[in-house]
Amino acid sequence: MAEPSAAEQRWLQAAQAFARRALPAREGPGRAAPAPVDAVLQCLRGAGGGDLPLGYSFISVSDLQHQQSMPCCSHLTWSTNEFKEWARQGQGALSMQSSLPRAYLILVGYLTDRRQEDKEKLVDGCLYVKDNTGIIPCEILHFELEWLESLFLFPSWAYIPQTDQGTVGYVEILMDPVPVNLLPKKVLDTIPVIYPAAAEPLLISRIPCKKRSKLNVAGELAKLSPLLCIHHKTFFFLFLKCFISAVGVPVLVRKPNQLSWHHVLQLGHRYIITGLSMSSLKKSGQRAFVTGVSSCLLPYCAKQVKEQPLDSAWQGESPQSASPEASVQFSDSSELGVEEERPGSTKESKIISYVGTVTKVLNAQAGLFELDNKVCLCLAYQQLLNSAHGLRPGACVKLVDVHLLQKPLVSFHFIVLGACLNSTVVLKSFSRLSTFYQPTVSSGNLYLKLLFRYNLGMPLYLWLVSLLETFEERFSCFFGCRRLLHSSVHQDRGAAEKFLVPLLQGMVSDREETRDIYNEMLAKRHQCPLQQYWTLDPPCQAPSLSKLCCMAKQKSWDNFCPSQLLSPSEAQHMGTQELNRRLAWSYCMLSAGSFQPRVILLGVLRVSSRSSSLHLQDKSSTLPCVISHKDGSPFANTALIGSLLQVEAYQLVVERFLRSDFPFWKQLANLEHVREKKNSVYVQFYFEDALVLQAPEVQIQEGPRSRNSSSLKKKDDGGSASELEIPEAKVLKLEDSRPNIERNESCQRDQSSTGRTSCISRLFLVTQKEGLMLRNYQLPREGNGEEQELQRSFQATVLWLGRPQFWSHPRKTANLPELEETNYHGEEGMTQQEALLLFMGRSLRWFPFLHLDGLYRFIVPHCSDLEVFDKLCFPPVPARFLSRSCCPMCLPVPDTWHLQHETWISCLTERQLAAGSVLTGMEQRISSIPEVLSNRASLWRSRFTGSLVSFPGEIVERTLCASPKNEKPSISLSLLQQKGSLLASDHSVKLSVSVALGSPVVLDVYIAAAYLQHLWGLLPGAKVLFQNLERKISRFHNVYCTYIASSCISIVSLPASHLPLPSSPAGEASSPSLMFLSNLQLHLQNVPQARILCHLSCVLTLSLQWVCSLCNSIFKEGKCTRHNPPCPSHIGVRQASARVLVEDGTGEALVLCRNQHVAAVLGLSLLEWEAVQNCVQSRGGVSIQHGEATGTACVEEPEDLIACYLRNLCRSPFICRPILLDFSLDRKPSKIPQPGLLAASRPKDKWRKT
């Protein structure tokens, strides 16, 4: 024999080293024999035609698991062409997938069915490859019982790691392994057997089992159940039938050393099972043959068996004869039982067999796989104890007796094949594609837990899977999959389970039956959850926020009709500019029931320091939100930041912004005049209607409790850490007091345990809050004389309560020790100092939580300096201009400080109020709308300071109007406009606010369009608290308010879900009060709207004209009369006005009527009014005055019939009649001295026909 080459010697040395490390030594007589390297080398030479595979290297099980991170395969005896052909054939329908890469590795190990766990050998029915270094699961298509615990060379195999790189995979054995040593051959004697036809009557006999001896049963394998594990006991059933008939008997295999039979048994093959006894299953009453410790599984050979007659021990009462009709029918679906009746909707599933290729793993944990790009295979109703090994894209499976369900779910487009416990799933061939392994785990699997707990049918289960998949995809980046899908009997339920359980309980309340797995496998009449089904239309959905916004926008514009936004009686008198301005801003309010199916809102509560507003967020997008309390208190709980909320009662508001050029009102149906459409979507709800599914992960310091949790880094397009933030989960070290400092999350790792729990806190009361605005703050440390950009910020005036508190350990602060301590020290011991808090940068996130009359606590983490609050303060202006004692000190709030809401001042006890002197020196700052409207100087001086007012009210109307031309926008307002507002800069919003809906007392509030980008929820019906509005009086002595830089708005209560749009600021909820004209002078301020029963004395003036819709010039004979420059408009708008004098016996008043009210005053019907207007159009206009001579009112021909008609009509006795008049006060001056000037809203004739 020739000497080996140097390369061969090195290879042999590596082989010997591998054998010593990985292969156990054989035990010889008296001492251990050397490692079986010689036998392995001999086996390699035999496989390679006498040559050693020098191009291959040995790999141990441990190295395979920890070093091989990608799928690979090894074919020891194949040439390159053979491998390429094998890989090409494996692609099939998945041509886009790459084939398994070839690795030149040699795998040698023992095949076993036992694994070691906690120093105990466990048998779970799976096969493993093991050596001295480790053990790894394996799947094999052909297996023999003699192979157990024998050493094998695996010439062709594939290693498939898991998708999760932190866990190991498994081995697919592609070809039969080659034994390293010769396997012993068993010599079988003649075996006495009975056949199923003779054994089946024994199962229904009444002879006690203890009188019977062991039996050997021979038959053909007709059914093979999956491996099941119940109460930590693993077992399976097999069914042997006669060779010439369908008579069969069930056999229960439950001994650990016999579970490996499951890998040997093949449908249609003939077997002998020895040592069987009979047993009755307690729960179901079914009887079956059961294997014993000495039972064996043997292949059937007719030459080695003889039929055994039943001895006297088996002869008891005469058993019933078994006929083919009474025997178990395994593939006939005609005898399926009825589990539940649903008239007109229940369908029967068909039982079929199918062979297909796995093309996609739809959801491994849910047991869903795609076959042949068209069929969904559901294995969830089986336990899949082998973790679905081998079910990768490209693998071929054979399905026997599976249920065919067509469209079980409306939104599910696949035909579903469901495998119950009576079905058999056989892996025919392994995949040749390079795909990872996605394991199916039974323990802690929420899909399977809910499936078995509620005994779900296929439609409900598929709906459950879709909800869970969406839930996990949306929120796993916030909490992790394990926390979301956590399921434990002994611990609290996870977020997903909290979300799904109430939905499932509502769906299966009438289906209380539990699943009987034994009857499902053994009963002659097949019963299982897949037997009957119906097409389920899901009752609800939980789409992503991005999808929800798209759905809301689509529904909003689908239902959009410009003509519905304006009443025809108003629109027909509007010019083009006013008409399009009134259409520029509208809203659509949607609820959960507005969608089909209804939408459940899910989102993580976040706060944005960029917009200073609350948001709900998921992976896809963010949704601004407005949260209120039903008792009217503002939402201020900072501990909920980072919580996962579920809301089913909400209002989804779509603000619609329209740019259009409608020429006149009759063209509103023509949407071609819409030039641009934009949207803004937000949601508003009451916190009482929200369910907290998942709280933030880390909450430190119960007192003072710092509700911090880590910021979410950028996960997707939906948002980033710079936009949406929650306070840190781990308290950061306070390094700098300047705003906008960068977070340094690594600094906390070096903190001691004392440093992690120590902090400084201080209690304060908010006495005033201003709105968000660009301000020119220059902090003392940054004031270097250079001009700086304006910073978006807000400020609040607070009152410090007590002294700063030092907390070295967590403790509770429910008793507010700052207020309690003054009970002993007296009023002198209470430190009440006013301060002006400046919020900039990331501290802007506290804006939606900070509210008037709220008690809050600042928490300074990792700090022990009790003077930290004083050290950061500075005077608002230089001391040479203003004494320090005259103005509160300014405190810029650092980014790392945490804000915690404690309570409201209204919730304090009398003892706390008296002890802390909280109300000492505090004036009532909130007024009422009648007080704001009051124009009496004495009341004004006593109630208000300067021109700023604060008051609550309910919005009854929202109108977009033009900004006053004499007001120039401020620089900060212009910058806000540049940063993005969906409304034009020359627009303002007028909010008509009253004490309550239907109240006649209305106050108008004007807000510039640029401010609206930070204001949500300003809808009719909403109750709002206005703070620091500027009160103004017009030149006609009308009182109104404007929103300025220091103003702030808080939503106190949400509007009703179905609020009717009022036609006037006062609304239609109640009729105005009836009064006399003599009382108007005494109630000019408090009665802006009223009703009088009066007599119409005469018509003083009447004016009918047509004006151009573009330039408001006279429109005559179908064209505008403006010539310099010429107007291109060909559309006119009719306008009418009249002044009438009324009296009621107590006084007189002048009434101004416009447009449609003029027709009511003149007593003209609709057709008569239209005829008059058409006559006026030909001449442009007609004007009539009381007491004028004929032909002097305007330049008209003496024979002008329309002017004569109107003049005669105004003089006729028909006009002078009793009327019921609804009016509003108008203080505009008039040349006719009257007790009051009234504007008619609804004049009504008082005559009644008898």
Side-chain angles (χ1 to χ4, degrees):
M1 185 175 182
E3 288 292 329
S5 62
E8 186 175 351
Q9 289 180 356
R10 288 193 298 269
W11 190 89
L12 290 172
Q13 291 174 358
Q16 293 174 354
F18 164 79
R20 287 191 298 269
R21 182 173 69 92
L23 301 182
R26 293 173 296 179
E27 296 183 357
R31 60 185 181 89
V37 62
D38 296 336
V40 172
L41 295 178
Q42 183 179 358
C43 185
L44 285 172
R45 285 192 174 96
D51 297 328
L52 292 175
L54 301 183
Y56 288 75
S57 59
F58 290 91
I59 187 169
S60 65
V61 170
S62 177
D63 292 342
L64 182 63
Q65 292 173 323
H66 296 96
Q67 296 179 9
Q68 190 65 35
S69 60
M70 298 296 293
C72 65
C73 64
S74 178
H75 302 279
L76 186 63
T77 60
W78 287 11
S79 64
T80 302
N81 291 335
E82 289 175 327
F83 170 75
K84 289 182 179 180
E85 179 63 20
W86 174 82
R88 186 189 63 80
Q89 294 177 357
Q91 289 183 336
L94 300 173
S95 57
M96 301 302 294
Q97 294 281 355
S98 60
S99 301
L100 279 170
R102 187 174 186 179
Y104 297 90
L105 300 173
I106 301 175
L107 180 63
V108 179
Y110 289 83
L111 277 176
T112 181
D113 61 348
R114 302 174 185 270
R115 59 184 176 90
Q116 189 138 354
E117 185 175 313
D118 297 332
K119 298 182 180 180
E120 294 185 5
K121 290 187 177 181
L122 300 179
V123 179
D124 55 8
C126 297
L127 296 178
Y128 300 89
V129 175
K130 71 173 183 178
D131 60 13
N132 278 350
T133 65
I135 188 170
I136 186 172
C138 71
E139 280 295 314
I140 188 170
L141 300 181
H142 172 242
F143 179 71
E144 301 290 345
L145 291 178
E146 293 80 8
W147 293 357
L148 285 176
E149 307 303 330
S150 298
L151 183 62
F152 284 93
L153 167 67
F154 300 96
S156 184
W157 55 273
Y159 174 68
I160 310 299
Q162 288 192 22
T163 305
D164 184 1
Q165 298 295 329
T167 55
V168 298
Y170 71 100
V171 172
E172 295 177 350
I173 300 176
L174 307 178
M175 295 177 58
D176 286 352
V178 178
V180 173
N181 302 305
L182 294 178
L183 298 177
K185 293 185 179 180
K186 293 183 179 180
V187 179
L188 299 178
D189 298 329
T190 301
I191 303 174
V193 297
I194 64 172
Y195 295 97
E200 193 266 346
L202 300 177
L203 295 177
I204 57 177
S205 65
R206 302 178 183 178
I207 303 299
C209 296
K210 62 182 180 179
K211 295 182 180 181
R212 300 174 181 174
S213 59
K214 303 291 183 181
L215 288 177
N216 304 327
V217 179
E220 179 183 328
L221 183 65
K223 289 285 183 181
L224 180 63
S225 78
L227 284 167
L228 299 175
C229 183
I230 307 296
H231 301 303
H232 305 288
K233 294 182 178 180
T234 306
F235 62 93
F236 68 92
F237 283 90
L238 60 90
F239 297 82
L240 296 177
K241 75 178 188 70
C242 290
F243 301 148
I244 58 175
S245 70
V247 178
V249 292
V251 178
L252 171 61
V253 181
R254 61 181 181 179
K255 299 300 180 182
N257 62 330
Q258 298 166 356
L259 297 180
S260 58
W261 293 4
H262 201 271
H263 300 274
V264 177
L265 295 168
Q266 298 184 47
L267 294 178
H269 288 219
R270 299 180 177 185
Y271 298 98
I272 302 172
I273 302 179
T274 64
L276 295 179
S277 60
M278 290 189 300
S279 178
S280 178
L281 303 178
K282 295 181 180 179
K283 293 185 178 180
S284 64
Q286 297 286 343
R287 297 168 66 86
F289 289 103
V290 182
T291 60
V293 178
S294 60
S295 298
C296 296
L297 175 66
L298 303 173
Y300 176 82
C301 181
K303 297 180 179 180
Q304 296 179 346
V305 299
K306 64 177 181 179
E307 186 171 0
Q308 177 186 11
L310 296 179
D311 54 26
S312 58
W314 294 94
Q315 303 297 330
E317 298 182 7
S318 176
Q320 300 177 6
S321 60
S323 63
E325 290 76 16
S327 63
V328 181
Q329 301 294 324
F330 294 105
S331 56
D332 186 5
S333 61
S334 61
E335 296 186 9
L336 294 178
V338 178
E339 183 185 60
E340 180 183 6
E341 291 186 2
R342 293 180 179 267
S345 60
T346 303
K347 294 181 286 187
E348 294 282 341
S349 61
K350 297 181 180 179
I351 297 181
I352 66 170
S353 295
Y354 186 86
V355 177
T357 301
V358 179
T359 51
K360 185 179 180 181
V361 179
L362 298 176
N363 189 323
Q365 294 304 315
L368 298 180
F369 304 85
E370 180 188 271
L371 302 182
D372 301 330
N373 294 315
K374 60 182 179 181
V375 177
C376 173
L377 170 62
C378 178
L379 302 179
Y381 292 85
Q382 300 183 349
Q383 281 190 321
L384 289 180
L385 295 184
N386 70 334
S387 302
H389 288 161
L391 293 180
R392 298 186 299 115
C396 181
V397 292
K398 178 182 179 181
L399 310 175
V400 180
D401 292 346
V402 291
H403 294 263
L404 172 66
L405 298 89
Q406 296 183 358
K407 204 174 181 58
L409 192 65
V410 170
S411 58
F412 201 75
H413 305 294
F414 291 101
I415 294 175
V416 181
L417 298 179
C420 66
L421 297 182
N422 202 41
S423 306
T424 304
V425 180
V426 181
L427 187 64
K428 298 294 291 182
S429 64
F430 291 115
S431 172
R432 305 177 187 184
L433 303 177
S434 179
T435 55
F436 285 88
Y437 158 58
Q438 301 180 32
T440 300
V441 182
S442 300
S443 178
N445 190 323
L446 185 59
Y447 294 94
L448 303 185
K449 176 182 177 180
L450 297 178
L451 169 66
F452 295 134
R453 178 194 296 177
Y454 296 103
N455 192 22
L456 301 178
M458 182 64 74
L460 276 178
Y461 180 67
L462 292 178
W463 178 57
L464 163 70
V465 171
S466 66
L467 288 178
L468 261 178
E469 286 178 340
T470 305
F471 190 88
E472 180 181 357
E473 179 184 3
R474 293 175 60 189
F475 303 113
S476 59
C477 57
F478 296 89
F479 305 100
C481 295
R482 292 186 179 180
R483 290 189 65 198
L484 284 179
L485 305 182
H486 171 75
S487 178
S488 175
V489 179
H490 307 289
Q491 300 179 7
D492 294 336
R493 296 181 299 182
E497 193 170 358
K498 290 180 183 178
F499 167 58
L500 290 170
V501 164
L503 299 179
L504 294 179
Q505 288 176 342
M507 294 293 295
V508 299
S509 58
D510 57 340
R511 302 176 72 247
E512 299 293 340
E513 298 181 5
T514 58
R515 185 178 180 186
D516 190 339
I517 62 172
Y518 299 105
N519 278 332
E520 186 173 329
M521 293 182 289
L522 304 178
K524 296 181 179 180
R525 190 179 183 88
H526 180 61
Q527 297 180 6
C528 77
L530 304 179
Q531 184 178 352
Q532 291 181 338
Y533 71 101
W534 67 98
T535 300
L536 175 66
D537 191 3
C540 62
Q541 57 178 325
S544 64
L545 292 181
S546 61
K547 183 178 179 181
L548 176 60
C549 290
C550 293
M551 293 165 55
K553 293 176 183 178
Q554 182 68 32
K555 184 173 286 292
S556 172
W557 289 114
D558 289 345
N559 300 331
F560 177 71
C561 181
S563 59
Q564 294 180 355
L565 300 179
L566 299 172
S567 63
S569 60
E570 295 180 356
Q572 63 182 335
H573 305 292
M574 294 181 182
T576 299
Q577 186 176 5
E578 182 182 2
L579 179 66
N580 290 284
R581 182 172 60 243
R582 293 288 294 273
L583 297 174
W585 188 27
S586 61
Y587 73 94
C588 175
M589 184 182 295
L590 305 172
S591 64
S594 301
F595 304 91
Q596 293 298 327
R598 64 184 179 92
V599 171
I600 297 178
L601 183 63
L602 298 173
V604 179
L605 183 63
R606 308 295 296 275
V607 60
S608 169
S609 60
R610 177 173 299 180
S611 62
S612 303
S613 60
L614 293 174
H615 288 72
L616 292 179
Q617 185 180 14
D618 63 4
K619 183 180 179 181
S620 66
S621 183
T622 61
L623 180 64
C625 63
V626 176
I627 306 178
S628 300
H629 284 280
K630 291 185 176 180
D631 60 0
S633 60
F635 178 75
N637 192 354
T638 58
L640 292 173
I641 301 177
S643 300
L644 177 57
L645 302 182
Q646 173 186 343
V647 190
E648 297 190 44
Y650 57 87
Q651 297 172 349
L652 192 63
V653 182
V654 182
E655 300 278 8
R656 297 177 298 211
F657 302 92
L658 195 71
R659 189 171 64 86
S660 59
D661 56 1
F662 288 102
F664 70 117
W665 70 281
K666 289 186 177 180
Q667 293 291 328
L668 290 179
N670 186 5
L671 297 182
E672 293 180 356
H673 294 284
V674 176
R675 300 307 177 195
E676 185 179 14
K677 297 189 296 185
K678 293 183 180 180
N679 314 275
S680 178
V681 185
Y682 63 94
V683 67
Q684 50 189 19
F685 57 88
Y686 289 108
F687 179 71
E688 289 78 4
D689 295 328
L691 174 65
V692 179
L693 297 178
Q694 184 73 54
E697 182 175 5
V698 179
Q699 295 182 358
I700 66 166
Q701 306 254 4
E702 280 191 23
R705 300 173 298 277
S706 178
R707 310 288 188 174
N708 294 341
S709 54
S710 57
S711 296
L712 175 71
K713 297 182 180 179
K714 189 170 184 181
K715 299 290 183 182
D716 201 5
D717 298 335
S720 62
S722 62
E723 296 180 356
L724 293 173
E725 301 161 353
I726 51 179
E728 331 305 336
K730 301 176 181 179
V731 176
L732 304 182
K733 181 180 179 182
L734 184 63
E735 295 182 345
D736 195 350
S737 62
R738 294 176 298 174
N740 301 321
I741 65 173
E742 296 294 333
R743 290 177 293 170
N744 185 8
E745 298 190 4
S746 62
C747 67
Q748 57 86 24
R749 302 183 187 131
D750 299 329
Q751 300 293 330
S752 62
S753 59
T754 303
R756 285 195 297 268
T757 57
S758 64
C759 61
I760 299 295
S761 73
R762 194 167 191 182
L763 190 69
F764 63 89
L765 171 68
V766 179
T767 59
Q768 185 177 349
K769 175 189 174 184
E770 297 186 3
L772 287 166
M773 181 50 58
L774 294 174
R775 294 180 172 88
N776 58 344
Y777 284 137
Q778 293 188 12
L779 302 184
R781 300 181 184 181
E782 299 175 343
N784 51 9
E786 298 180 0
E787 185 177 355
Q788 297 182 357
E789 292 184 359
L790 299 180
Q791 298 188 58
R792 197 167 61 88
S793 60
F794 77 96
Q795 61 188 30
T797 305
V798 302
L799 187 68
W800 295 120
L801 300 179
R803 302 179 180 87
Q805 303 288 323
F806 173 76
W807 303 101
S808 59
H809 298 285
R811 63 183 72 179
K812 295 183 179 180
T813 60
N815 296 327
L816 298 177
E818 291 86 348
L819 299 182
E820 297 294 337
E821 67 181 7
T822 59
N823 190 35
Y824 304 99
H825 299 293
E827 194 170 312
E828 296 77 13
M830 184 59 163
T831 303
Q832 287 193 356
Q833 180 183 357
E834 209 171 30
L836 183 64
L837 303 181
L838 308 180
F839 295 84
M840 294 171 286
R842 288 188 59 245
S843 64
L844 289 176
R845 66 187 185 273
W846 304 124
F847 178 80
F849 297 100
L850 207 66
H851 298 284
L852 193 66
D853 293 337
L855 270 72
Y856 296 85
R857 186 185 301 278
F858 269 138
I859 300 174
V860 185
H862 296 302
C863 180
S864 57
D865 187 3
L866 293 175
E867 299 180 357
V868 62
F869 296 95
D870 296 330
K871 290 181 179 179
L872 296 179
C873 289
F874 65 90
V877 295
R880 64 180 181 271
F881 297 114
L882 189 63
S883 172
R884 177 175 179 176
S885 60
C886 298
C887 188
M889 298 294 289
C890 292
L891 174 62
V893 179
D895 294 344
T896 55
W897 286 14
H898 186 77
L899 182 71
Q900 175 182 313
H901 176 254
E902 293 291 350
T903 185
W904 302 103
I905 191 173
S906 59
C907 299
L908 294 178
T909 63
E910 295 183 1
R911 176 184 178 185
Q912 290 173 325
L913 289 172
S917 303
V918 176
L919 298 179
T920 302
M922 290 187 61
E923 299 180 357
Q924 180 65 27
R925 302 174 185 269
I926 305 298
S927 306
S928 64
I929 291 181
E931 291 173 346
V932 175
L933 286 171
S934 175
N935 204 21
R936 285 181 289 177
S938 59
L939 180 60
W940 176 255
R941 287 194 296 268
S942 64
R943 296 299 298 160
F944 306 107
T945 303
S947 61
L948 299 183
V949 294
S950 299
F951 57 90
E954 183 171 346
I955 301 174
V956 294
E957 188 180 40
R958 187 181 77 171
T959 308
L960 191 64
C961 55
S963 299
K965 297 181 180 180
N966 57 349
E967 292 186 4
K968 294 183 178 181
S970 62
I971 297 178
S972 60
L973 196 60
S974 300
L975 290 175
L976 278 177
Q977 185 66 36
Q978 294 174 6
K979 290 181 178 294
S981 177
L982 296 178
L983 292 175
S985 59
D986 58 345
H987 286 172
S988 293
V989 176
K990 183 182 76 171
L991 299 179
S992 299
V993 184
S994 67
V995 178
L997 189 64
S999 172
V1001 182
V1002 178
L1003 174 63
D1004 291 335
V1005 177
Y1006 292 88
I1007 306 176
Y1011 292 118
L1012 294 173
Q1013 56 183 316
H1014 300 300
L1015 300 178
W1016 306 100
L1018 299 181
L1019 304 176
K1023 296 181 180 179
V1024 182
L1025 175 62
F1026 297 93
Q1027 303 175 52
N1028 301 328
L1029 297 185
E1030 184 177 9
R1031 180 183 185 271
K1032 292 185 177 183
I1033 301 178
S1034 69
R1035 59 194 176 113
F1036 304 119
H1037 306 289
N1038 289 318
V1039 178
Y1040 66 98
C1041 294
T1042 59
Y1043 190 95
I1044 59 177
S1046 61
S1047 303
C1048 186
I1049 293 180
S1050 300
I1051 305 298
V1052 177
S1053 179
L1054 306 180
S1057 298
H1058 303 286
L1059 184 72
L1061 294 178
S1063 58
S1064 64
E1068 302 284 350
S1070 62
S1071 300
S1073 58
L1074 189 65
M1075 62 187 312
F1076 296 104
L1077 289 176
S1078 60
N1079 297 332
L1080 288 180
Q1081 190 66 33
L1082 301 176
H1083 302 88
L1084 286 179
Q1085 300 298 329
N1086 296 328
V1087 188
Q1089 293 188 359
R1091 171 178 291 182
I1092 57 174
L1093 180 61
C1094 58
H1095 187 273
L1096 198 158
S1097 301
C1098 66
V1099 179
L1100 298 178
T1101 63
L1102 174 64
S1103 175
L1104 304 180
Q1105 62 180 358
W1106 284 75
V1107 298
C1108 176
S1109 63
L1110 290 180
C1111 64
N1112 290 329
S1113 300
I1114 296 298
F1115 190 85
K1116 184 177 180 181
E1117 295 181 351
K1119 62 182 179 179
C1120 181
T1121 58
R1122 193 184 75 178
H1123 300 288
N1124 189 18
C1127 180
S1129 174
H1130 296 282
I1131 298 174
V1133 177
R1134 57 190 182 185
Q1135 295 179 350
S1137 64
R1139 292 190 179 192
V1140 298
L1141 192 66
V1142 299
E1143 58 87 19
D1144 66 348
T1146 65
E1148 293 181 334
L1150 181 65
V1151 180
L1152 308 179
C1153 304
R1154 292 183 177 87
N1155 300 323
Q1156 69 270 19
H1157 296 151
V1158 176
V1161 167
L1162 297 179
L1164 298 178
S1165 65
L1166 180 60
L1167 293 178
E1168 293 171 339
W1169 181 246
E1170 290 292 333
V1172 169
Q1173 291 284 2
N1174 292 334
C1175 293
V1176 173
Q1177 183 181 16
S1178 62
R1179 57 193 313 277
V1182 173
S1183 180
I1184 305 296
Q1185 291 188 4
H1186 178 69
E1188 65 181 359
T1190 304
T1192 60
C1194 57
V1195 183
E1196 80 260 359
E1197 299 298 332
E1199 62 272 13
D1200 190 351
L1201 297 180
I1202 186 62
C1204 296
Y1205 170 76
L1206 292 175
R1207 186 178 297 108
N1208 294 332
L1209 181 63
C1210 293
R1211 294 173 179 176
S1212 67
F1214 174 78
I1215 295 297
C1216 301
R1217 66 192 189 279
I1219 61 173
L1220 183 64
L1221 183 67
D1222 293 343
F1223 66 89
S1224 61
L1225 290 175
D1226 193 343
R1227 299 186 184 88
K1228 293 183 180 181
S1230 173
K1231 296 180 181 180
I1232 303 177
Q1234 295 295 336
L1237 192 61
L1238 310 181
S1241 58
R1242 290 186 300 272
K1244 302 178 182 178
D1245 285 342
K1246 199 55 184 167
W1247 291 337
R1248 295 186 180 180
K1249 297 180 180 180
T1250 58

